[in-house]
Amino acid sequence: MDRREFEDLYKVYYPKVYGYLYRKIADCFAAEDMAQEIFAVCYQKFDTYNPQKAKLSTWLFAITDNRLKNYYRDKKDYQSLDGEEPPMEWPGNGYVEEAILLEEQKRILAEAMEQLPLRERLIVRKKYFG
């Protein structure tokens, strides 16, 4: 893969990968860091990509899912040496109050989106959700 091809790939897929990661972990900084790591791996391992086995997007999101699994595993293995609690994890890991709050925020956002004209709603969805 030459530099130009990678730039094109990055421009098309970075917003989608970032949006996917952000929806999964709800941390914009971690999602951004992880997306950068994913594209670095993609660049380094592009010679292993076989277009006859899968589409490029499938291959890229397989890398993304593997990195996301590593992220969750690493967070689960966190142990503090000074007795402090581990940092707050994604709500799916037992933080019921956070999950309820997140669902309420999603509902409010969905209601607000429905108030927008169709054209503006599509623009917002494309911009923030890939």
Side-chain angles (χ1 to χ4, degrees), residues 14-43:
Y14 181 85
K16 295 174 184 181
V17 169
Y18 172 80
Y20 177 76
L21 291 169
Y22 181 72
R23 285 190 300 276
K24 295 289 185 182
I25 62 176
D27 179 340
C28 63
F29 299 112
E32 188 174 327
D33 289 344
M34 207 178 309
Q36 293 297 328
E37 292 171 15
I38 289 163
F39 279 94
V41 168
C42 178
Y43 187 78

Side-chain angles (χ1 to χ4, degrees), residues 8 10 12 40 63 104:
D8 293 341
Y10 186 86
V12 170
I63 294 170
E104 178 65 15

Side-chain angles (χ1 to χ4, degrees), residues 11 36 47 66 76:
K11 285 177 186 176
Q36 293 297 328
D47 59 330
N66 286 335
K76 190 175 184 180

Side-chain angles (χ1 to χ4, degrees), residues 38-91:
I38 289 163
F39 279 94
V41 168
C42 178
Y43 187 78
Q44 293 168 350
K45 303 279 185 180
F46 192 75
D47 59 330
T48 66
Y49 168 64
N50 183 350
Q52 295 172 344
K53 287 186 177 181
K55 295 189 319 186
L56 183 60
S57 60
T58 304
W59 179 72
L60 182 60
F61 277 94
I63 294 170
T64 302
D65 281 336
N66 286 335
R67 179 60 187 98
L68 197 54
K69 288 175 190 172
N70 292 343
Y71 172 81
Y72 285 126
R73 185 191 66 233
D74 293 347
K75 283 188 74 125
K76 190 175 184 180
D77 291 342
Y78 175 85
Q79 292 182 343
S80 174
L81 298 176
D82 58 5
E84 291 182 13
E85 290 294 315
M88 178 87 105
E89 294 182 21
W90 179 244

